[in-house]
Amino acid sequence: MLSHPAVYQDVLQLVKFCLDQSEQFIKMCRTIRDQSEALKDNLTAKAVINHIIRESEYFIGIAQTILYQQ
Ligand SMILES: [Fe+2]
């Protein structure tokens, strides 16, 4: 844990912000994957988007662990 309690609270607030932003980002990636004309017939691009979504979900899992372990 960080030594200064105020800094620790700031870090938690930042992690919460990043978590919310990642959820929005995943939503946007899913919309692009499912609705983009450019991606419609591009399986490689869809695979990359799915990979990006998985990695963002992984980050969200870590952020939730940090936020809800106290
Ligand atoms: Fe990756």
Coordinates of all heavy atoms in Angstrom, one line a residue:
M1 N 0.8 -1.2 0.0 CA 0.0 0.0 0.0 C 0.9 1.3 0.0 O 2.0 1.3 0.6 CB -0.9 0.0 1.2 CG -2.0 1.1 1.2 SD -2.8 1.4 2.7 CE -4.0 0.1 2.8
L2 N 0.4 2.3 -0.7 CA 1.1 3.6 -0.7 C 1.1 4.2 0.7 O 0.1 4.0 1.5 CB 0.5 4.5 -1.6 CG 0.6 4.1 -3.1 CD1 -0.4 4.9 -4.0 CD2 2.0 4.3 -3.6
S3 N 2.2 4.9 1.1 CA 2.4 5.3 2.5 C 1.4 6.4 2.8 O 0.8 6.4 3.9 CB 3.8 5.8 2.7 OG 4.1 6.7 1.7
H4 N 1.1 7.4 1.9 CA 0.3 8.5 2.3 C -1.2 8.2 1.9 O -1.5 7.9 0.8 CB 0.8 9.7 1.5 CG 0.3 11.0 2.1 ND1 -1.0 11.4 2.1 CD2 1.0 12.0 2.7 CE1 -1.1 12.6 2.7 NE2 0.1 13.0 3.1
P5 N -2.1 8.3 2.9 CA -3.5 7.9 2.7 C -4.2 8.7 1.6 O -5.0 8.2 0.9 CB -4.1 8.1 4.1 CG -3.0 8.1 5.1 CD -1.8 8.6 4.3
A6 N -3.8 10.0 1.5 CA -4.5 10.9 0.5 C -4.1 10.4 -0.9 O -4.9 10.4 -1.8 CB -4.1 12.3 0.8
V7 N -2.8 10.1 -1.0 CA -2.3 9.6 -2.3 C -3.0 8.3 -2.7 O -3.4 8.0 -3.8 CB -0.8 9.5 -2.3 CG1 -0.3 8.9 -3.6 CG2 -0.1 10.8 -2.1
Y8 N -3.1 7.4 -1.7 CA -3.7 6.1 -1.9 C -5.2 6.3 -2.4 O -5.6 5.6 -3.3 CB -3.7 5.4 -0.6 CG -4.2 3.9 -0.7 CD1 -3.5 3.0 -1.4 CD2 -5.4 3.6 -0.1 CE1 -4.0 1.7 -1.6 CE2 -5.9 2.3 -0.2 CZ -5.2 1.3 -0.9 OH -5.7 0.1 -1.1
Q9 N -5.9 7.3 -1.8 CA -7.3 7.5 -2.2 C -7.3 8.1 -3.6 O -8.2 7.7 -4.4 CB -8.0 8.5 -1.2 CG -8.3 7.9 0.1 CD -9.1 6.6 0.0 OE1 -10.1 6.6 -0.7 NE2 -8.7 5.6 0.7
D10 N -6.3 8.9 -4.0 CA -6.3 9.4 -5.3 C -6.0 8.3 -6.3 O -6.6 8.3 -7.4 CB -5.1 10.5 -5.5 CG -5.5 11.8 -4.8 OD1 -6.7 12.0 -4.5 OD2 -4.6 12.6 -4.6
V11 N -5.2 7.4 -6.0 CA -4.9 6.3 -6.9 C -6.1 5.4 -7.1 O -6.4 5.0 -8.2 CB -3.7 5.4 -6.3 CG1 -3.5 4.1 -7.1 CG2 -2.4 6.2 -6.4
L12 N -6.8 5.1 -6.0 CA -8.1 4.4 -6.1 C -9.1 5.1 -7.0 O -9.8 4.4 -7.8 CB -8.7 4.2 -4.7 CG -8.0 3.2 -3.8 CD1 -8.7 3.0 -2.4 CD2 -7.8 1.8 -4.4
Q13 N -9.2 6.4 -6.9 CA -10.1 7.2 -7.7 C -9.7 7.0 -9.2 O -10.5 6.9 -10.1 CB -10.0 8.6 -7.3 CG -11.3 9.4 -7.6 CD -11.2 10.8 -7.0 OE1 -10.4 11.2 -6.2 NE2 -12.1 11.7 -7.6
L14 N -8.4 7.1 -9.4 CA -7.9 6.9 -10.8 C -8.2 5.5 -11.3 O -8.6 5.4 -12.5 CB -6.3 7.2 -10.8 CG -5.6 7.0 -12.2 CD1 -6.2 8.0 -13.2 CD2 -4.1 7.1 -12.0
V15 N -8.0 4.5 -10.5 CA -8.3 3.1 -11.0 C -9.8 3.0 -11.3 O -10.1 2.4 -12.3 CB -7.9 2.1 -9.9 CG1 -8.3 0.7 -10.2 CG2 -6.3 2.1 -9.7
K16 N -10.6 3.6 -10.5 CA -12.1 3.6 -10.7 C -12.4 4.3 -12.0 O -13.2 3.8 -12.8 CB -12.8 4.3 -9.6 CG -14.3 4.4 -9.7 CD -15.0 3.1 -9.4 CE -16.6 3.2 -9.5 NZ -17.1 3.1 -10.8
F17 N -11.8 5.4 -12.3 CA -12.0 6.1 -13.5 C -11.6 5.3 -14.7 O -12.3 5.2 -15.7 CB -11.2 7.5 -13.5 CG -11.3 8.2 -14.8 CD1 -12.4 9.1 -15.0 CD2 -10.4 8.1 -15.8 CE1 -12.5 9.8 -16.2 CE2 -10.5 8.8 -17.0 CZ -11.6 9.7 -17.2
C18 N -10.4 4.6 -14.6 CA -9.9 3.8 -15.7 C -10.8 2.6 -15.9 O -11.0 2.2 -17.1 CB -8.5 3.3 -15.4 SG -7.2 4.6 -15.3
L19 N -11.3 2.0 -14.8 CA -12.3 0.9 -15.0 C -13.5 1.3 -15.8 O -13.9 0.7 -16.7 CB -12.7 0.4 -13.6 CG -13.4 -0.9 -13.4 CD1 -13.3 -1.4 -12.0 CD2 -14.8 -0.8 -13.8
D20 N -14.1 2.5 -15.4 CA -15.3 3.0 -16.1 C -15.0 3.3 -17.6 O -15.8 2.9 -18.5 CB -15.8 4.3 -15.4 CG -16.4 4.0 -14.0 OD1 -16.6 2.9 -13.7 OD2 -16.5 5.0 -13.3
Q21 N -13.8 3.8 -17.8 CA -13.4 4.2 -19.2 C -13.2 2.9 -20.0 O -13.6 2.8 -21.2 CB -12.1 5.0 -19.1 CG -11.8 5.7 -20.5 CD -10.5 6.4 -20.5 OE1 -9.5 5.9 -20.0 NE2 -10.5 7.6 -21.0
S22 N -12.7 1.8 -19.4 CA -12.4 0.6 -20.1 C -13.8 -0.1 -20.4 O -13.9 -0.7 -21.5 CB -11.6 -0.4 -19.2 OG -10.3 0.1 -19.2
E23 N -14.8 0.1 -19.5 CA -16.1 -0.5 -19.8 C -16.7 0.2 -21.1 O -17.3 -0.4 -21.9 CB -17.0 -0.4 -18.6 CG -16.7 -1.4 -17.6 CD -17.4 -1.3 -16.3 OE1 -18.0 -0.2 -16.0 OE2 -17.5 -2.2 -15.5
Q24 N -16.5 1.5 -21.1 CA -17.0 2.3 -22.3 C -16.3 1.9 -23.5 O -16.9 1.8 -24.6 CB -16.9 3.8 -22.0 CG -17.8 4.4 -20.9 CD -19.2 4.1 -21.2 OE1 -19.7 4.4 -22.3 NE2 -20.0 3.5 -20.3
F25 N -15.0 1.7 -23.4 CA -14.1 1.3 -24.5 C -14.5 0.0 -25.1 O -14.7 -0.2 -26.3 CB -12.7 1.3 -24.1 CG -11.7 0.9 -25.1 CD1 -11.4 1.7 -26.2 CD2 -11.0 -0.3 -25.0 CE1 -10.5 1.3 -27.2 CE2 -10.1 -0.7 -26.0 CZ -9.9 0.1 -27.1
I26 N -14.8 -1.0 -24.2 CA -15.3 -2.3 -24.6 C -16.6 -2.2 -25.4 O -16.8 -2.8 -26.4 CB -15.4 -3.3 -23.4 CG1 -14.0 -3.6 -22.9 CG2 -16.1 -4.5 -23.8 CD1 -13.9 -4.4 -21.6
K27 N -17.5 -1.4 -24.8 CA -18.8 -1.2 -25.5 C -18.6 -0.7 -26.9 O -19.2 -1.1 -27.9 CB -19.6 -0.1 -24.7 CG -20.9 -0.6 -24.1 CD -21.5 0.6 -23.4 CE -22.9 0.4 -22.9 NZ -23.4 1.5 -22.1
M28 N -17.7 0.3 -27.1 CA -17.4 0.9 -28.4 C -16.8 -0.2 -29.3 O -17.2 -0.3 -30.5 CB -16.4 2.1 -28.3 CG -16.2 2.8 -29.6 SD -14.8 3.9 -29.5 CE -13.4 2.8 -29.4
C29 N -15.9 -1.0 -28.8 CA -15.2 -2.0 -29.6 C -16.3 -3.0 -30.1 O -16.2 -3.5 -31.2 CB -14.2 -2.8 -28.8 SG -12.7 -1.8 -28.5
R30 N -17.2 -3.4 -29.2 CA -18.3 -4.3 -29.6 C -19.2 -3.7 -30.7 O -19.6 -4.4 -31.6 CB -19.1 -4.7 -28.4 CG -18.4 -5.6 -27.4 CD -19.3 -6.2 -26.4 NE -18.5 -7.1 -25.5 CZ -18.5 -7.1 -24.2 NH1 -19.2 -6.1 -23.5 NH2 -17.8 -7.9 -23.5
T31 N -19.5 -2.4 -30.6 CA -20.3 -1.8 -31.6 C -19.6 -1.8 -32.9 O -20.2 -2.1 -33.9 CB -20.6 -0.3 -31.1 OG1 -21.3 -0.4 -29.9 CG2 -21.5 0.4 -32.2
I32 N -18.3 -1.5 -32.9 CA -17.5 -1.5 -34.1 C -17.5 -2.9 -34.7 O -17.8 -3.1 -35.9 CB -16.1 -1.0 -33.9 CG1 -16.1 0.5 -33.5 CG2 -15.2 -1.2 -35.1 CD1 -14.8 1.1 -33.0
R33 N -17.2 -3.9 -33.9 CA -17.1 -5.3 -34.4 C -18.4 -5.7 -35.0 O -18.4 -6.4 -36.0 CB -16.7 -6.2 -33.2 CG -16.6 -7.6 -33.5 CD -16.6 -8.5 -32.3 NE -17.9 -8.4 -31.6 CZ -18.0 -8.8 -30.3 NH1 -17.1 -9.3 -29.7 NH2 -19.2 -8.6 -29.7
D34 N -19.6 -5.3 -34.4 CA -20.9 -5.9 -34.8 C -21.5 -5.1 -35.8 O -22.4 -5.6 -36.5 CB -21.8 -6.0 -33.6 CG -21.2 -7.0 -32.5 OD1 -20.4 -7.8 -32.9 OD2 -21.6 -6.9 -31.3
Q35 N -21.2 -3.8 -36.0 CA -21.9 -2.9 -36.9 C -21.1 -2.3 -38.0 O -21.7 -1.7 -38.9 CB -22.6 -1.8 -36.1 CG -23.7 -2.4 -35.1 CD -24.4 -1.4 -34.3 OE1 -24.5 -0.2 -34.7 NE2 -24.9 -1.7 -33.2
S36 N -19.8 -2.4 -38.0 CA -19.0 -1.7 -39.0 C -19.1 -2.4 -40.3 O -18.8 -3.7 -40.4 CB -17.5 -1.6 -38.5 OG -16.7 -1.4 -39.6
E37 N -19.4 -1.7 -41.4 CA -19.4 -2.2 -42.7 C -18.0 -2.7 -43.1 O -17.8 -3.7 -43.8 CB -19.9 -1.2 -43.7 CG -21.4 -1.2 -43.9 CD -22.0 -2.5 -44.4 OE1 -21.5 -2.9 -45.5 OE2 -22.9 -3.0 -43.8
A38 N -17.0 -1.9 -42.7 CA -15.6 -2.1 -43.1 C -15.1 -3.5 -42.5 O -14.2 -4.1 -43.1 CB -14.7 -1.0 -42.6
L39 N -15.6 -3.8 -41.3 CA -15.2 -5.1 -40.7 C -16.0 -6.3 -41.0 O -15.6 -7.4 -40.8 CB -15.3 -4.9 -39.1 CG -14.0 -4.7 -38.4 CD1 -13.3 -3.4 -38.8 CD2 -14.2 -4.8 -36.9
K40 N -17.1 -6.1 -41.7 CA -18.1 -7.1 -41.9 C -17.5 -8.4 -42.5 O -17.8 -9.5 -42.0 CB -19.2 -6.6 -42.9 CG -20.5 -7.3 -42.9 CD -21.6 -6.6 -43.5 CE -21.3 -6.3 -45.0 NZ -22.1 -7.1 -45.9
D41 N -16.6 -8.3 -43.5 CA -16.0 -9.5 -44.1 C -14.5 -9.6 -43.8 O -13.8 -10.3 -44.5 CB -16.2 -9.4 -45.6 CG -17.7 -9.3 -46.0 OD1 -18.5 -10.1 -45.4 OD2 -18.1 -8.5 -46.8
N42 N -14.1 -9.0 -42.7 CA -12.7 -9.0 -42.4 C -12.5 -9.8 -41.0 O -12.6 -9.2 -40.0 CB -12.2 -7.6 -42.2 CG -10.7 -7.5 -42.1 OD1 -10.0 -8.5 -41.6 ND2 -10.1 -6.4 -42.5
L43 N -12.3 -11.1 -41.2 CA -12.2 -11.9 -40.0 C -11.0 -11.6 -39.1 O -11.0 -11.7 -37.9 CB -12.2 -13.4 -40.4 CG -13.5 -14.0 -41.0 CD1 -13.3 -15.4 -41.4 CD2 -14.6 -13.8 -40.0
T44 N -9.9 -11.2 -39.8 CA -8.7 -10.9 -39.0 C -8.9 -9.6 -38.1 O -8.6 -9.6 -37.0 CB -7.5 -10.6 -40.0 OG1 -7.3 -11.7 -40.9 CG2 -6.2 -10.3 -39.2
A45 N -9.6 -8.6 -38.7 CA -9.9 -7.4 -37.9 C -10.8 -7.7 -36.8 O -10.6 -7.2 -35.7 CB -10.5 -6.4 -38.8
K46 N -11.8 -8.6 -37.0 CA -12.7 -9.0 -35.9 C -11.9 -9.7 -34.8 O -12.2 -9.5 -33.6 CB -13.8 -9.9 -36.4 CG -14.9 -9.1 -37.2 CD -16.1 -9.9 -37.5 CE -17.1 -9.1 -38.1 NZ -18.3 -9.9 -38.5
A47 N -11.0 -10.6 -35.2 CA -10.2 -11.3 -34.2 C -9.3 -10.4 -33.4 O -9.2 -10.5 -32.2 CB -9.3 -12.3 -34.9
V48 N -8.8 -9.3 -34.1 CA -8.0 -8.3 -33.3 C -8.9 -7.6 -32.3 O -8.5 -7.4 -31.2 CB -7.3 -7.4 -34.3 CG1 -6.7 -6.2 -33.6 CG2 -6.2 -8.1 -35.1
I49 N -10.1 -7.2 -32.8 CA -11.0 -6.4 -31.9 C -11.4 -7.3 -30.7 O -11.4 -6.9 -29.5 CB -12.3 -6.0 -32.6 CG1 -11.9 -5.0 -33.8 CG2 -13.3 -5.4 -31.7 CD1 -12.2 -3.6 -33.5
N50 N -11.6 -8.6 -31.0 CA -12.0 -9.5 -29.8 C -10.8 -9.6 -28.9 O -11.0 -9.7 -27.7 CB -12.3 -10.9 -30.4 CG -13.8 -10.9 -30.9 OD1 -14.6 -10.1 -30.5 ND2 -14.0 -11.8 -31.9
H51 N -9.6 -9.7 -29.4 CA -8.4 -9.7 -28.6 C -8.3 -8.5 -27.7 O -8.0 -8.5 -26.5 CB -7.2 -9.9 -29.4 CG -5.9 -9.8 -28.7 ND1 -5.5 -10.9 -27.9 CD2 -4.9 -8.9 -28.6 CE1 -4.3 -10.5 -27.3 NE2 -4.0 -9.3 -27.7
I52 N -8.5 -7.3 -28.3 CA -8.5 -6.0 -27.6 C -9.6 -6.0 -26.5 O -9.3 -5.6 -25.3 CB -8.7 -4.8 -28.5 CG1 -7.5 -4.7 -29.4 CG2 -9.0 -3.5 -27.8 CD1 -7.7 -3.8 -30.6
I53 N -10.7 -6.6 -26.8 CA -11.8 -6.6 -25.8 C -11.4 -7.5 -24.6 O -11.5 -7.2 -23.4 CB -13.1 -7.2 -26.4 CG1 -13.7 -6.1 -27.3 CG2 -14.2 -7.5 -25.3 CD1 -14.9 -6.6 -28.2
R54 N -10.8 -8.7 -24.9 CA -10.4 -9.6 -23.9 C -9.3 -9.0 -23.0 O -9.4 -9.2 -21.7 CB -9.8 -10.9 -24.5 CG -10.9 -12.0 -24.7 CD -10.2 -13.4 -24.9 NE -9.2 -13.3 -25.9 CZ -9.5 -13.4 -27.3 NH1 -10.7 -13.6 -27.6 NH2 -8.5 -13.4 -28.1
E55 N -8.4 -8.3 -23.6 CA -7.3 -7.7 -22.8 C -7.9 -6.6 -21.9 O -7.5 -6.4 -20.7 CB -6.2 -7.1 -23.7 CG -5.6 -8.2 -24.5 CD -4.1 -8.3 -24.4 OE1 -3.5 -7.7 -23.4 OE2 -3.4 -8.9 -25.2
S56 N -8.9 -5.8 -22.4 CA -9.5 -4.8 -21.6 C -10.3 -5.4 -20.4 O -10.3 -4.9 -19.3 CB -10.4 -3.9 -22.5 OG -9.6 -3.2 -23.4
E57 N -11.0 -6.6 -20.7 CA -11.7 -7.3 -19.7 C -10.7 -7.8 -18.6 O -11.1 -7.7 -17.4 CB -12.5 -8.4 -20.2 CG -13.7 -8.0 -21.0 CD -14.4 -9.1 -21.8 OE1 -13.7 -10.1 -22.1 OE2 -15.5 -8.9 -22.2
Y58 N -9.6 -8.2 -19.0 CA -8.5 -8.6 -18.1 C -8.1 -7.5 -17.2 O -8.0 -7.6 -15.9 CB -7.3 -9.2 -18.8 CG -6.2 -9.6 -18.0 CD1 -6.3 -10.7 -17.2 CD2 -5.0 -8.8 -18.0 CE1 -5.2 -11.1 -16.4 CE2 -3.9 -9.2 -17.2 CZ -4.0 -10.4 -16.4 OH -3.0 -10.7 -15.6
F59 N -7.9 -6.3 -17.8 CA -7.6 -5.1 -17.0 C -8.7 -4.8 -16.0 O -8.4 -4.5 -14.8 CB -7.4 -3.9 -17.9 CG -7.3 -2.6 -17.1 CD1 -6.2 -2.3 -16.3 CD2 -8.4 -1.8 -17.0 CE1 -6.1 -1.1 -15.5 CE2 -8.4 -0.6 -16.2 CZ -7.2 -0.3 -15.5
I60 N -10.0 -4.9 -16.4 CA -11.1 -4.6 -15.6 C -11.1 -5.5 -14.4 O -11.3 -5.1 -13.2 CB -12.4 -4.7 -16.3 CG1 -12.6 -3.5 -17.2 CG2 -13.6 -4.8 -15.4 CD1 -13.8 -3.5 -18.1
G61 N -10.8 -6.8 -14.6 CA -10.7 -7.7 -13.5 C -9.6 -7.3 -12.5 O -9.9 -7.4 -11.2
I62 N -8.5 -6.9 -12.9 CA -7.4 -6.4 -12.0 C -7.9 -5.2 -11.3 O -7.7 -5.1 -10.0 CB -6.1 -6.1 -12.8 CG1 -5.6 -7.5 -13.3 CG2 -5.1 -5.4 -11.9 CD1 -4.4 -7.3 -14.3
A63 N -8.5 -4.2 -12.0 CA -9.0 -3.0 -11.4 C -10.0 -3.3 -10.3 O -10.0 -2.7 -9.2 CB -9.5 -2.1 -12.4
Q64 N -10.9 -4.2 -10.6 CA -11.9 -4.6 -9.6 C -11.3 -5.2 -8.3 O -11.7 -5.0 -7.2 CB -13.0 -5.6 -10.2 CG -13.9 -4.8 -11.1 CD -14.8 -5.8 -11.9 OE1 -14.5 -6.9 -12.1 NE2 -15.9 -5.3 -12.4
T65 N -10.3 -6.1 -8.6 CA -9.6 -6.7 -7.4 C -8.9 -5.6 -6.5 O -9.0 -5.7 -5.3 CB -8.5 -7.6 -8.0 OG1 -9.1 -8.6 -8.8 CG2 -7.7 -8.3 -6.8
I66 N -8.3 -4.6 -7.2 CA -7.7 -3.5 -6.4 C -8.8 -2.7 -5.6 O -8.6 -2.4 -4.4 CB -6.9 -2.6 -7.3 CG1 -5.7 -3.3 -7.9 CG2 -6.5 -1.3 -6.6 CD1 -5.0 -2.5 -9.1
L67 N -9.9 -2.5 -6.3 CA -10.9 -1.6 -5.7 C -11.7 -2.3 -4.6 O -12.1 -1.6 -3.6 CB -11.9 -1.1 -6.8 CG -11.3 -0.1 -7.7 CD1 -12.3 0.2 -8.9 CD2 -11.0 1.2 -7.0
Y68 N -12.0 -3.6 -4.8 CA -12.9 -4.2 -3.8 C -12.3 -5.1 -2.8 O -12.9 -5.9 -2.2 CB -14.0 -4.9 -4.7 CG -14.7 -4.0 -5.6 CD1 -14.8 -4.3 -7.0 CD2 -15.2 -2.8 -5.2 CE1 -15.4 -3.4 -7.9 CE2 -15.8 -1.9 -6.1 CZ -15.9 -2.2 -7.4 OH -16.5 -1.4 -8.3
Q69 N -10.9 -5.1 -2.7 CA -10.2 -6.0 -1.8 C -10.2 -5.3 -0.4 O -9.9 -6.0 0.6 CB -8.8 -6.3 -2.2 CG -7.9 -5.1 -2.1 CD -6.5 -5.4 -2.7 OE1 -6.2 -6.6 -3.1 NE2 -5.6 -4.4 -2.8
Q70 N -10.5 -4.0 -0.3 CA -10.5 -3.4 1.1 C -11.8 -3.6 1.8 O -12.8 -3.7 1.4 CB -10.1 -1.9 1.1 CG -10.7 -1.1 -0.1 CD -9.6 -0.7 -1.0 OE1 -8.5 -0.4 -0.6 NE2 -9.9 -0.7 -2.3
Ligands
FE1 FE -2.4 -8.1 -26.7

